[in-house]
Amino acid sequence: MTDTTWDPTKPILEIENLSISFFTRLREIPAVMDFSCSVMAGESMGLVGESGCGKSTVALAVMRDLGKNGRIVDGTIKFKGRDLTHMGEEELRHIRGSEIAMIYQEPMASLNPAMKIGAQLAEVPMIHQGMGRDEAWNLARQIVADVRLPDPDRILQAYPHQLSGGQQQRIVIAMALMSKPALLILDEPTTALDVTVEAGIVDLVKDLGHKYGTSMLFISHNLGLILDVCDRLCVMYSGEAVETGDVIEVFDKMRHPYTQALFRSIPLPGADKNSHPLVAIPGNFPLPHERPKGCNFGPRCDYFQDGRCNAAEVPMFPVPGDDRHATRCIKWTEIDWDAPMTLKASKPKTPIGKVVLKMEDLRKYYSVSSGAFGGGSAKVVKANETLSFEAREGETLAIVGESGCGKSTFAKVLMGLETATSGSILLFDENVQSTPIQQRNTNTVSSVQMVFQNPFDTLNPSMNVGRQIIRALEIFKQGKSDAERYARMLELLDLVKLPRAFADRMPRQLSGGQKQRVGIARAFAGGAKVVVADEPVSALDVSVQAAVTDLLMDIQRENKTTLLFISHDLSIVRYLSDRVMVMYLGHVVEMGTTDQVFQPPYHPYTEALLSAVPIADTKVIRKRIVLEGDIPSAMNPPPGCPFQTRCRWKSQVPGGLCDIEMPPVQVLAGGHQLKCHLSAEVLAAMEPVIQIAAE
Amino acid sequence: MNTELLSWGQIIARILQQFLPVWIALIITFTVSIRYKRKLGLYGKLFDSPVGMVGFLLVMFWVFTAIFADFIITLDPIAQFGRVKNPLPGTPLVDPKDGQYAYFLLGGDHLARDVFSRVVMGARRVLTIAPAATTFAFIMGATLGLPAGYFGGKLDTVLSFLANLVLAFPVILLFYLLVTPEIRNTGIPVVLAAVLFIFPVIFFCTLFNSRFFTNPPKRNLYVGITLVIGLWAYFGLAFNLDPLGVWSMDPNLLNVFVSVVFVNSPTVFRIVRGIVMDLKARDYVAAGQTRGESAWYIMLWEILPNARGPLIVDFCLRIGYTTILLGTLGFFGLGVSPESPDWGSTIDDGRKLLSLYLHPAITPALALMSLVLGLNLLADGLREESLKD
Amino acid sequence: MLKFVARRLGVMVLTALALTFVVFYLTNLPPNLEKLARTEGSVRMTDQAVADWIVGNGHGGSVFGRYAEWIGIAPGWTLTDEKGVTRGRCIAAGSDPAAAPNYCGVLQGEWGFSTVFKKPVLESVLQKLGSTGWLMMWVMIVMVPVSLIMGVLSGMREGSRLDRSLSIIAIATTATPEYVSGVILVAIFASATAGISPILNEWGWISGRTLFLGTATSAMDGITFWNFALPVLTIALYGIGYIARMTRASMTEVMTQQYIRTARLKGVRFRDVVLKHALRNALIAPFTVIMLQFPWLLNGVVITEALFNYKGFGWTLVQAAGNNDIDLLLGCSVVAVLVVLVTQLISDIGYVFLNPRIRLA
Ligand SMILES: Nc1ncnc2c1ncn2[C@@H]1O[C@H](COP(=O)(O)OP(=O)(O)OP(=O)(O)O)[C@@H](O)[C@H]1O
Ligand code: SF4
Ligand code: SF4
Ligand SMILES: [Mg+2]
């Protein structure tokens, strides 16, 4: 289906004034309004924006797959000069999969569980090129090898569930490449994956894009990732494109207040919770049907000017001098873009007090049985191995590691939801390791509390906000009467900076960030001394993340709380923690102060982790270390060093010690601990992964 | 004496007229509900779904029929009128007394009882027994399904085995064994009733205790009231020992009731258990646990309210199923009592002469079908609407 | 896998034991035995005579002991009366007591004697099962394809007009129990006074008085379309609606899955999306339902056989229960329980094989 009329110097994809609405029973939801952008041949275009701003909707509109209630109400989408919006089903079918391919966020869900990988791949050329079965399977084999999967023949015969998440995502990419499409749409292709796996996929996508000359529309909420992958970028806010242009130009010379605010709210290297805190964007994202008049960003904009910004729809203004750079801000010429941001008063550092929590040689093993019929041999999963550390009053201790490394198990043991297999936990000098929560006294229980990861899950959907906080007060024996508790609940809402009127709201009427605040208020109801925060902001949008992190820090300062901050996001860890503990497969592989951990010498795993995190700063030079393979399953960890299957330093250890022997803990200067066989000289010779280029 | 049969037009007109109170009640219900549907939560959303509305209409028709049955019936449903067997629809009564309705609107059965009045009265029977039995089955299923799903392990294994045991029993066989007059003399139904009926009392006591134990006076009040009312009803219903005579149940009815609850609760158990296993992984459950809440608080106040969607849907379906079951019992002559106008027994009575006289069997058959259909449509509407935003 | 089957078989045996014991216990309750004594002996027996009859026919003693005898793990009872005649559980009338075996329970293949049919239980049950087998077979042949096609068609485009109409049909049939649909079907097709038969007769299209036969008794000797269609339809209707709804639910869920969207956006034709991508995933759940349908069919069978007077297993069950024919009832319940348990086992194993996501141990 090659179209001869198309001129390759014209954009391959041209979206003009696209408006899309979803029609629900109550109202029309205008998800995308007046959106324009174009992608040239071989170019990769990034689409960034917060959750719900309409990124996926644009992508699906290009595929013309908006579902039953979605409709393109205005505008055109031209692919190679042909208008997709008025194309018939049959014609679309020939374009889908052959000229435009799409990759989604969840690899597992995108593959048919009941079909072999090979069949799913081979299907594409069989449909579009009328290729024979054997030929198609050969092609599939070749592409599978292209996406750097080991043992392609085995993989072609496998079912999706037999592959790991990273492998599945590679298959999805392979599937998209089967018919060498001209345009590839990737909707958050790595969000569900671990950072080290993500780094591999991102590299792959970039290379393949160059190799096949494919244009890409890359959707992400992660600015760092966009910088890594894309040539151009389009920032979306509430259904509109607000700024578009070359990636480097937009990053360095942003011309829209929203883009600027976005960059100020993400923790780049150099941000610091005390001297250089993040600036959250005030207010909330408007719902599609509640957009303000005029500029959508108006209510949250620092430069808002009444009578101008809210007078009429704001058009896109081209920024002269730059390459197709445009912004949707009336005042863009008037704003002083280079003015340093007005720093919030820098806050004093919290003094670190006495030890409140001490763990020694903690182990937690689970025994699980495998197999569909409940038979099979029972296996022991070592979720936590010889965990030792202490945490002090007013301190933030970060626990970092990828999924399955045992972070959450550790939290459960500490909370008393599970009891440790061996070892001791001393909480305020009281031994609690074998005391399940039911047997702990109210004091102990209320002083160790937890903030959960998923804001949509953390509150009981059928109980109003006030009741949930009051319940915590009742359980913690706070207040003497119902009235007293009610008053205390209102104070707690003040503490987390929520309006008092929220007490009567149901959780579904709150945004993600607001729910997370309620969760924090609930955790502090009994005056918690130790708070375990399990990825408290990872499910939130960047603009809200900053505000919630700030809140946690403020409360910590006031109450001298010890914060155990569990996260996989190294940027935020660097920003707020005092000490860091890095875990891999249940082992603590490195522990030290934030500076010690983020500077060489590194543990080889920490090094890889640091290099995998995309950073949205053009000045940062990052060494790329791509780890091979996936994280081994905790069910059968490798012998010797847990990291040995993916370690690039292994050859530096003489005698193949890494394969046989569990490395000892080395204590370096300043109490910096490393669990590695590498000798002191090798460690000392390590180079930093991240450098900030001199300006 | 009047010997002319009524025409079908006249019959329909007269029936519509008899149902007047029902029409009025339906119109009021629907106007009010549609006017305020946005404020009524899930119930209000029902009025956005045509399927749900039709279902609700059918169900409410029978509910109001049951409520106003005394005004609707034309003749005494148990009395026999004359010696002519199986009078056709519209047949006049042989010699009506003063003030007595003069026609068999929908004919009469083989004992010359009025089919129309029997069907209307049957609605009352069905609509008291079926929802009550289903409610008991739900409480029992929930009280056992919650801990089975929540704790898992040995408890779950044992309870699931018992549930599967009951489920593996062919229902008909079970009824033939349980619902016989002989069994009544052995006291087995009373023992079963003693077990089944204690569950609501336990359920509500635990419910209040787990929530209010932090506030003893309030707790004592709620638990106390539950205990007084619960045990009073318990002794009345299960052992016929109510000194005031408010709570009592005919032994035969008790027998049927207990059997129906017994057969239904394992399915409810399985549903509840499944939902709990899903919901217990939620963060708000973990939040409850980290606060040190008791297991029963978490099950009853954190998990159960969030399981209400699927449970309400199943409740509707199950009332329908119970109605069918009661009919089956009647069909095999195991009904509440031979005189009783319940639909199953009436169908059973009528089917023997089916090829000659249709009307005694077809009327209750259509009644039962429309009620169950209504419940199914209602459940479908509810399910669909609760899935939408 | 073997271990799993072994464990399942263990649970099955345990369940079967528990269930037969319950049946045994309930049928052997004193009032039931008294009733039996009066039907077997004479209605005007004195209470004392009844008690003697019960003991004299081996119904005395503990219920556990008698259950063990029935199973065949305890020696059968023997009694020698005043005349010196020794009778016993294992002693056939008129045969030599000394030659009789000690044990004669189910394990030895002795299922007892039916008091209603005056025949050995095994023989009558097997014979009736044969009749019911035909019924079941035709029900399955009608029900499974129709319901699956209905479910898939309505589930593949949720909310379409086709879906709406098929769903209404499915709901209507599940809302109609056999005793209602049977009555209605007879009214329409097999009544001499109502439905279509009188009309057809008048037009001379049919020679008999009714189109279909209102009873299936003649099907015992030879199955014809005219005597068997109504009973088969009666049972199948309810099941059709039920399975179709399950299939529809499963199909609609599958159709909203991400991998279906992937297939669609690969450019797969809608027909192939349904047939190649959705169908296999969508049929996993209905398979279980169809297997679990067997035990439930048993109910339908009992009602339908009673309604159409077809002397099969269900009819036998009703006779046995109505007359408290203890041995026959036990035999029937063993069969019923086995049907339930075996189909459960098949459905579990089949589920695992159909579903590639579950790994075999
Ligand atoms: N099927 C639908 N019906 C109604 N509204 C919808 C539907 N799909 C999306 N929306 C609304 O359209 C808006 C844009 O959604 P979209 O999924 O495109 O956002 P997104 O930028 O991709 O977000 P995310 O980062 O979370 O993936 C949201 O407000 C969303 O609630
Ligand atoms: S138009 Fe006004 S409100 Fe909008 S971004 Fe520009 S300055 Fe802010
Ligand atoms: S011990 Fe060996 S394998 Fe493990 S991290 Fe150190 S160098 Fe790598
Ligand atoms: Mg999206």
Side-chain angles (χ1 to χ4, degrees):
Chain A
M1 283 242 105
T2 35
D3 204 318
T4 43
T5 56
W6 178 62
D7 169 8
T9 57
K10 292 264 176 59
I12 192 161
L13 178 72
E14 200 172 8
I15 303 177
E16 267 169 26
N17 310 99
L18 183 67
S19 298
I20 302 162
S21 290
F22 290 99
F23 293 86
T24 66
R25 189 170 44 217
L26 293 182
R27 58 174 74 85
E28 174 185 348
I29 296 178
V32 172
M33 289 161 65
D34 191 26
F35 176 89
S36 306
C37 91
S38 55
V39 183
M40 305 296 283
E43 196 176 66
S44 59
M45 171 71 143
L47 210 52
V48 269
E50 294 175 83
S51 181
C53 70
K55 307 182 296 282
S56 305
T57 309
V58 168
L60 290 173
V62 174
M63 297 306 276
R64 282 282 311 277
D65 193 57
L66 286 166
K68 274 199 299 275
N69 62 346
R71 212 166 58 225
I72 296 176
V73 285
D74 197 16
T76 56
I77 304 173
K78 286 211 184 78
F79 175 72
K80 290 190 176 173
R82 292 188 293 159
D83 190 357
L84 292 174
T85 49
H86 292 102
M87 217 172 250
E89 269 305 310
E90 192 56 23
E91 215 175 337
L92 275 172
R93 201 171 64 71
H94 287 294
I95 290 187
R96 290 173 176 165
S98 91
E99 299 205 59
I100 310 180
M102 184 156 177
I103 295 170
Y104 313 91
Q105 182 167 346
E106 279 167 43
M108 182 74 206
S110 311
L111 294 173
N112 190 332
M115 266 170 99
K116 287 193 175 144
I117 299 285
Q120 301 193 43
L121 289 176
E123 193 180 34
V124 180
M126 284 161 74
I127 296 169
H128 294 294
Q129 277 109 46
M131 207 181 262
R133 206 190 110 88
D134 292 338
E135 206 185 336
W137 275 69
N138 279 336
L139 181 67
R141 196 188 169 284
Q142 188 192 329
I143 304 260
V144 168
D146 265 4
V147 294
R148 299 182 210 142
L149 279 171
D151 200 357
D153 291 310
R154 185 184 66 83
I155 288 197
L156 288 184
Q157 293 298 332
Y159 284 102
H161 68 91
Q162 293 164 325
L163 308 180
S164 71
Q167 288 176 328
Q168 285 172 2
Q169 193 59 302
R170 280 167 201 259
I171 291 296
V172 175
I173 293 173
M175 193 151 76
L177 293 175
M178 280 302 285
S179 61
K180 315 236 161 34
L183 176 67
L184 188 59
I185 302 175
L186 302 102
D187 191 355
E188 315 238 7
T190 56
T191 309
L193 304 174
D194 277 316
V195 264
T196 53
V197 179
E198 171 184 80
I201 300 272
V202 165
D203 264 15
L204 176 74
V205 167
K206 263 197 316 198
D207 289 358
L208 292 175
H210 290 150
K211 183 169 163 190
Y212 294 114
T214 315
S215 307
M216 282 193 273
L217 188 62
F218 190 95
I219 298 176
S220 177
H221 61 268
N222 186 333
L223 287 164
L225 214 53
I226 296 280
L227 177 62
D228 270 2
V229 180
C230 300
D231 310 318
R232 296 179 55 78
L233 142 99
C234 173
V235 182
M236 282 187 80
Y237 182 78
S238 193
E240 294 177 327
V242 293
E243 183 164 11
T244 157
D246 183 84
V247 166
I248 308 284
E249 275 167 9
V250 174
F251 272 51
D252 291 346
K253 284 171 53 192
M254 57 205 72
R255 288 295 175 265
H256 193 279
Y258 174 65
T259 320
Q260 188 187 42
L262 212 51
F263 274 91
R264 287 180 178 175
S265 64
I266 53 177
L268 297 172
D272 178 281
K273 64 175 163 179
N274 297 314
S275 59
H276 203 118
L278 301 181
V279 187
I281 306 179
N284 279 313
F285 193 80
L287 290 175
H289 55 272
E290 291 169 355
R291 294 196 183 111
K293 193 167 178 307
C295 178
N296 284 339
F297 188 55
R300 304 172 75 188
C301 180
D302 286 341
Y303 308 102
F304 178 79
Q305 190 181 356
D306 195 20
R308 265 181 83 195
C309 297
N310 55 3
E313 287 303 310
V314 184
M316 277 298 229
F317 297 96
V319 178
D322 286 351
D323 176 28
R324 289 176 284 148
H325 188 173
T327 170
R328 197 184 285 274
C329 173
I330 298 187
K331 295 178 60 184
W332 77 272
T333 46
E334 300 152 39
I335 297 169
D336 178 6
W337 295 101
D338 297 323
M341 64 174 151
T342 41
L343 280 182
K344 279 202 265 175
S346 74
K347 289 165 183 162
K349 198 167 156 21
T350 341
I352 307 256
K354 59 177 194 317
V355 174
V356 291
L357 174 70
K358 189 171 170 147
M359 289 211 178
E360 241 166 274
D361 272 345
L362 184 92
R363 282 165 214 256
K364 175 68 191 173
Y365 295 174
Y366 289 106
S367 67
V368 291
S369 60
S370 53
F373 295 113
S377 54
K379 282 187 174 151
V380 172
V381 177
K382 301 180 177 176
N384 285 154
E385 273 277 40
T386 55
L387 217 62
S388 306
F389 71 89
E390 46 185 53
R392 293 162 184 277
E393 190 185 68
E395 183 183 49
T396 307
L397 173 68
I399 301 164
V400 195
E402 294 173 282
S403 68
C405 74
K407 294 170 298 193
S408 301
T409 307
F410 155 79
K412 278 193 198 142
V413 172
L414 175 61
M415 302 303 301
L417 298 180
E418 307 260 1
T419 48
T421 310
S422 73
S424 68
I425 307 175
L426 288 171
L427 196 64
F428 314 108
D429 296 329
E430 187 190 347
N431 205 333
V432 296
Q433 83 275 7
S434 48
T435 323
I437 190 147
Q438 293 84 2
Q439 281 148 41
R440 295 185 178 181
N441 60 36
T442 313
N443 237 334
T444 318
V445 171
S446 64
S447 60
V448 190
Q449 279 297 299
M450 187 152 173
V451 178
F452 294 89
Q453 171 170 11
N454 187 347
F456 300 94
D457 231 30
T458 183
L459 301 182
N460 183 341
S462 35
M463 210 190 269
N464 75 28
V465 166
R467 256 261 30 100
Q468 303 204 30
I469 300 179
I470 289 180
R471 178 67 193 176
L473 291 169
E474 282 173 3
I475 283 290
F476 296 149
K477 304 207 171 76
Q478 304 282 313
K480 288 185 197 63
S481 63
D482 285 353
E484 220 170 284
R485 279 190 282 270
Y486 190 79
R488 176 86 188 111
M489 181 268 294
L490 294 179
E491 283 169 34
L492 281 167
L493 284 180
D494 295 343
L495 175 75
V496 294
K497 305 194 176 92
L498 284 177
R500 290 187 165 200
F502 274 36
D504 297 324
R505 290 223 190 160
M506 295 306 270
R508 73 185 126 78
Q509 298 167 298
L510 269 55
S511 73
Q514 289 165 342
K515 283 186 206 166
Q516 210 57 329
R517 284 165 193 263
V518 177
I520 294 173
R522 191 179 54 187
F524 281 91
K529 290 276 171 270
V530 178
V531 169
V532 181
D534 189 354
E535 309 248 11
V537 294
S538 63
L540 300 178
D541 273 317
V542 276
S543 70
V544 186
Q545 266 185 13
V548 174
T549 340
D550 249 19
L551 174 70
L552 271 175
M553 293 295 112
D554 283 349
I555 297 182
Q556 178 182 37
R557 254 178 225 111
E558 247 167 66
N559 302 5
K560 297 206 178 59
T561 320
T562 307
L563 191 62
L564 297 184
F565 191 89
I566 300 178
S567 177
H568 67 270
D569 181 352
L570 284 173
S571 327
I572 200 121
V573 164
R574 177 189 1 227
Y575 168 68
L576 57 70
S577 59
D578 301 310
R579 284 196 306 137
V580 181
M581 182 166 115
V582 184
M583 287 180 73
Y584 189 77
L585 280 185
H587 293 264
V588 177
V589 294
E590 180 167 4
M591 181 153 73
T593 62
T594 308
D595 284 343
Q596 285 165 348
V597 172
F598 281 81
Q599 242 113 73
Y602 306 110
H603 184 278
Y605 174 62
T606 317
E607 181 194 33
L609 208 53
L610 276 172
S611 93
V613 181
I615 295 171
D617 191 337
T618 51
K619 295 188 290 296
V620 169
I621 303 166
R622 191 156 51 105
K623 198 156 82 188
R624 298 290 284 162
I625 301 166
V626 173
L627 289 182
E628 293 300 322
D630 294 308
I631 306 178
S633 138
M635 288 248 229
N636 42 4
C641 172
F643 189 54
Q644 54 121 324
T645 51
R646 304 165 81 195
C647 182
R648 69 180 193 123
W649 291 89
K650 209 163 104 175
S651 55
Q652 308 269 359
V653 177
L657 214 53
C658 302
D659 296 341
I660 330 164
E661 204 176 295
M662 177 67 69
V665 177
Q666 305 186 31
V667 182
L668 308 179
H672 182 192
Q673 298 177 10
L674 282 181
K675 202 178 219 176
C676 181
H677 285 303
L678 286 175
S679 63
E681 297 83 66
V682 181
L683 286 175
M686 273 188 180
E687 288 169 6
V689 183
I690 298 170
Q691 276 171 325
I692 300 184
E695 298 204 14
Chain B
M1 199 175 92
N2 181 357
T3 52
E4 204 135 306
L5 254 67
L6 292 177
S7 74
W8 275 107
Q10 283 169 311
I11 294 177
I12 291 170
R14 279 166 179 261
I15 289 178
L16 289 181
Q17 188 194 341
Q18 278 315 110
F19 277 115
L20 192 65
V22 174
W23 306 135
I24 296 174
L26 280 178
I27 289 169
I28 295 175
T29 315
F30 270 73
T31 351
V32 172
S33 305
I34 292 178
R35 164 88 45 90
Y36 298 107
K37 68 179 178 183
R38 290 283 162 258
K39 291 186 189 143
L40 293 171
L42 183 59
Y43 169 74
K45 279 193 196 164
L46 197 60
F47 292 88
D48 289 324
S49 142
V51 172
M53 263 205 299
V54 172
F56 187 67
L57 181 75
L58 283 172
V59 173
M60 286 324 281
F61 172 81
W62 286 112
V63 169
F64 288 130
T65 303
I67 294 174
F68 301 120
D70 293 322
F71 305 107
I72 299 172
I73 53 168
T74 48
L75 293 164
D76 180 352
I78 314 181
Q80 308 180 2
F81 300 94
R83 229 142 278 117
V84 187
K85 284 184 182 177
N86 299 305
L88 291 177
T91 313
L93 249 57
V94 183
D95 47 353
K97 296 193 197 73
D98 269 351
Q100 203 170 33
Y101 204 81
Y103 293 93
F104 290 109
L105 274 181
L106 288 174
D109 65 5
H110 62 293
L111 295 174
R113 296 176 295 194
D114 182 46
V115 170
F116 176 75
S117 306
R118 284 179 73 76
V119 168
V120 168
M121 263 307 168
R124 179 174 278 184
R125 278 224 93 91
V126 166
L127 282 166
T128 42
I129 302 177
T134 312
T135 311
F136 272 81
F138 259 76
I139 292 182
M140 167 138 172
T143 320
L144 295 176
L146 284 170
Y150 187 74
F151 295 115
K154 291 252 161 27
L155 180 74
D156 182 26
T157 314
V158 172
L159 287 177
S160 293
F161 177 77
L162 289 178
N164 288 337
L165 205 63
V166 180
L167 286 175
F169 229 119
V171 179
I172 299 266
L173 182 61
L174 192 68
F175 278 137
Y176 258 120
L177 295 174
L178 277 183
V179 192
T180 58
E182 285 80 27
I183 288 269
R184 220 187 313 154
N185 305 334
T186 62
I188 288 180
V190 176
V191 174
L192 275 178
V195 176
L196 295 182
F197 289 177
I198 197 74
F199 274 98
V201 183
I202 297 178
F203 180 84
F204 285 105
C205 285
T206 327
L207 189 74
F208 291 126
N209 180 46
S210 63
R211 165 86 176 259
F212 296 113
F213 75 95
T214 50
N215 185 348
K218 211 175 190 176
R219 186 256 319 262
N220 296 345
L221 178 71
Y222 283 117
V223 173
I225 292 178
T226 315
L227 277 178
V228 169
I229 298 181
L231 290 180
W232 177 24
Y234 176 69
F235 283 104
L237 292 178
F239 304 109
N240 219 350
L241 283 180
D242 176 12
L244 305 179
V246 178
W247 303 96
S248 71
M249 220 185 221
D250 168 62
N252 212 359
L253 180 61
L254 181 78
N255 204 344
V256 170
F257 193 85
V258 165
S259 311
V260 171
V261 174
F262 189 70
V263 169
N264 268 319
S265 42
T267 324
V268 180
F269 165 86
R270 286 228 280 215
I271 295 173
V272 172
R273 174 178 169 270
I275 300 178
V276 172
M277 300 234 270
D278 174 26
L279 289 184
K280 76 174 174 182
R282 299 295 164 95
D283 279 347
Y284 54 82
V285 171
Q289 290 166 337
T290 57
R291 281 203 301 272
E293 297 278 12
S294 71
W296 279 103
Y297 175 86
I298 291 176
M299 285 183 243
L300 292 172
W301 291 94
E302 303 270 0
I303 294 179
L304 198 57
N306 294 308
R308 65 180 183 271
L311 289 185
I312 290 174
V313 171
D314 189 69
F315 190 75
C316 293
L317 287 177
R318 205 146 288 282
I319 294 180
Y321 178 69
T322 310
T323 310
I324 292 182
L325 211 57
L326 289 170
T328 312
L329 282 176
F331 181 79
F332 284 109
L334 304 172
V336 178
S337 75
E339 286 285 277
S340 153
D342 79 79
W343 293 341
S345 327
T346 318
I347 296 173
D348 181 41
D349 284 346
R351 76 176 165 101
K352 286 155 198 152
L353 289 168
L354 199 56
S355 46
L356 296 174
Y357 301 106
L358 268 180
H359 60 270
I362 203 92
T363 319
L366 290 177
L368 187 136
M369 189 180 141
S370 63
L371 173 62
V372 180
L373 183 65
L375 285 162
N376 272 284
L377 292 174
L378 178 63
D380 228 45
L382 282 174
R383 180 180 9 233
E384 221 162 81
E385 291 305 313
S386 66
L387 286 184
K388 284 190 198 158
D389 46 302
Chain C
M1 177 73 204
L2 265 181
K3 210 171 145 192
F4 165 77
V5 175
R7 230 188 41 202
R8 279 302 302 258
L9 286 175
V11 173
M12 265 172 69
V13 171
L14 200 63
T15 314
L17 281 178
L19 288 184
T20 46
F21 179 73
V22 172
V23 177
F24 193 89
Y25 178 78
L26 289 175
T27 45
N28 278 282
L29 285 169
N32 283 332
L33 291 177
E34 280 159 30
K35 195 168 119 193
L36 184 68
R38 289 205 158 87
T39 44
E40 289 292 288
S42 86
V43 187
R44 281 181 295 281
M45 279 206 279
T46 60
D47 286 356
Q48 183 53 42
V50 167
D52 289 345
W53 188 91
I54 289 174
V55 174
N57 283 283
H59 297 300
S62 99
V63 70
F64 295 101
R66 279 177 287 142
Y67 180 66
E69 284 176 33
W70 179 77
I71 296 278
I73 49 172
W77 56 271
T78 50
L79 271 178
T80 312
D81 59 16
E82 315 86 75
K83 293 176 208 132
V85 182
T86 306
R87 292 176 306 117
R89 181 182 169 84
C90 309
I91 306 167
S95 69
D96 177 14
N102 259 338
Y103 297 89
C104 54
V106 173
L107 290 179
Q108 285 78 29
E110 291 292 330
W111 290 77
F113 195 80
S114 157
T115 51
V116 180
F117 296 117
K118 310 289 182 214
K119 264 202 284 190
V121 164
L122 195 60
E123 189 184 318
S124 43
V125 167
L126 284 183
Q127 182 202 345
K128 304 293 189 219
L129 263 183
S131 311
T132 298
W134 283 109
L135 189 57
M136 288 264 211
M137 192 185 84
W138 281 107
V139 168
M140 282 291 165
I141 290 176
V142 172
M143 182 173 77
V144 174
V146 172
S147 54
L148 289 185
I149 291 173
M150 263 174 78
V152 169
L153 285 181
S154 64
M156 81 191 178
R157 281 188 222 253
E158 197 187 354
S160 65
R161 200 164 304 152
L162 183 67
D163 174 27
R164 290 260 172 255
S165 5
L166 288 177
S167 292
I168 297 286
I169 295 176
I171 294 180
T173 60
T174 40
T176 320
E178 289 88 353
Y179 50 91
V180 171
S181 56
V183 165
I184 295 177
L185 284 176
V186 169
I188 297 179
F189 295 111
S191 162
T193 55
I196 58 170
S197 302
I199 305 173
L200 291 180
N201 192 315
E202 207 165 289
W203 292 350
W205 288 23
I206 50 170
S207 51
R209 288 187 52 212
T210 60
L211 180 60
F212 287 91
L213 294 184
T215 81
T217 322
S218 59
M220 305 287 301
D221 307 320
I223 294 172
T224 66
F225 181 67
W226 304 111
N227 63 22
F228 221 46
L230 291 189
V232 167
L233 208 57
T234 305
I235 304 181
L237 267 183
Y238 188 93
I240 285 176
Y242 190 68
I243 301 179
R245 270 159 68 90
M246 288 292 165
T247 316
R248 175 183 180 273
S250 163
M251 189 72 189
T252 46
E253 198 205 310
V254 166
M255 287 306 282
T256 59
Q257 295 293 308
Q258 190 81 280
Y259 57 81
I260 294 300
R261 173 173 270 180
T262 310
R264 212 165 48 224
L265 298 192
K266 261 200 271 190
V268 181
R269 237 178 276 274
F270 184 75
R271 203 192 65 214
D272 290 337
V273 169
V274 172
L275 293 179
K276 278 175 70 184
H277 289 262
L279 207 55
R280 172 154 179 206
N281 291 297
L283 287 185
I284 296 172
F287 171 77
T288 326
V289 175
I290 293 174
M291 288 321 289
L292 295 180
Q293 205 63 8
F294 272 101
W296 170 89
L297 273 181
L298 219 57
N299 269 336
V301 165
V302 176
I303 294 173
T304 313
E305 287 185 0
L307 193 63
F308 288 93
N309 213 3
Y310 181 73
K311 297 195 173 66
F313 180 74
W315 184 83
T316 312
L317 185 67
V318 174
Q319 296 304 317
N323 297 298
N324 204 40
D325 185 343
I326 298 178
D327 281 339
L328 187 57
L329 208 46
L330 281 168
C332 287
S333 53
V334 169
V335 171
V337 167
L338 278 185
V339 169
V340 173
L341 296 181
V342 170
T343 49
Q344 263 177 17
L345 184 71
I346 297 178
S347 105
D348 282 5
I349 296 178
Y351 182 77
V352 172
F353 279 106
L354 270 181
N355 192 344
R357 263 171 294 193
I358 300 183
R359 215 172 323 134
L360 296 177

